[in-house]
Amino acid sequence: MTHLAHFNWAALLAPTGDPLVAEFVDNTGRVNAIAERSAGFVWRHGDEDVAGRRIGWPLFTEAPTMIASFSVWESPEAFKAFVYKTVHGAFLRRGAEWFERGGSVNYALWWVPEGHIPSIEEARDRVEQLRAHGPSEAVFTLATLPASSKR
């Protein structure tokens, strides 16, 4: 069986200590706790608020306001339920208040074997593959979820 790995990134409008982004930053722990209690949750990287500075590739190290989230879910359905049907969805809808707007996709999804915890290097490779070649069976978005998702 396979699970769904998820990696996303975004640039805050201000550094994490700035009042402009305080509501978002102050609720990160709450949203993460909801993720961890959600049906289908498997794993998440524990340091989203500073992940951009720890990941160490140009996408993140050149922008001090860049943050990232990294998780694994049992299925696309479980992931979508968390993203859209919990308080996470309310924060997602308000994203323009805290994040720079860009025209490109800011997340990547890919299949991992059950029990596998993907590395930062694996996430980097998938992001770079998605940026260079677009969605494929190897890396995709929710909108381009491969037909093989019936694993």
Side-chain angles (χ1 to χ4, degrees), residues 1 4 8 10 13 16 26 28 32 36-37 49-50 55 58 71 93 96 98 103 109 112 116 126 133 147:
M1 177 174 236
L4 184 71
N8 79 317
L13 293 172
T16 56
D26 292 349
T28 301
N32 287 341
E36 291 171 1
R37 291 190 310 267
D49 59 328
V50 294
I55 289 170
S71 58
R93 287 185 292 279
W98 306 297
L109 304 171
V112 295
H116 174 72
R126 297 300 174 127
H133 306 289

Side-chain angles (χ1 to χ4, degrees), residues 48-95:
E48 283 77 4
D49 59 328
V50 294
R53 290 177 286 288
R54 293 186 182 184
I55 289 170
W57 89 81
L59 177 62
F60 296 98
T61 58
E62 293 174 3
T65 57
M66 191 67 73
I67 63 168
S69 178
F70 194 9
S71 58
V72 175
W73 296 81
E74 289 179 354
S75 68
E77 296 76 23
F79 176 65
K80 288 191 275 190
F82 164 70
V83 168
Y84 299 114
K85 295 180 180 177
T86 69
V87 72
H88 180 280
F91 281 96
L92 185 64
R93 287 185 292 279
R94 293 179 56 199

Side-chain angles (χ1 to χ4, degrees), residues 100-136:
E100 291 180 10
R101 283 295 192 212
S104 62
V105 172
N106 69 335
Y107 72 97
L109 304 171
W110 66 98
W111 302 120
V112 295
E114 185 175 350
H116 174 72
I117 300 301
S119 68
I120 292 296
E121 293 77 19
E122 185 178 340
R124 180 201 62 223
D125 292 346
R126 297 300 174 127
V127 167
E128 290 176 356
Q129 183 179 358
L130 183 63
R131 288 182 147 199
H133 306 289
S136 67

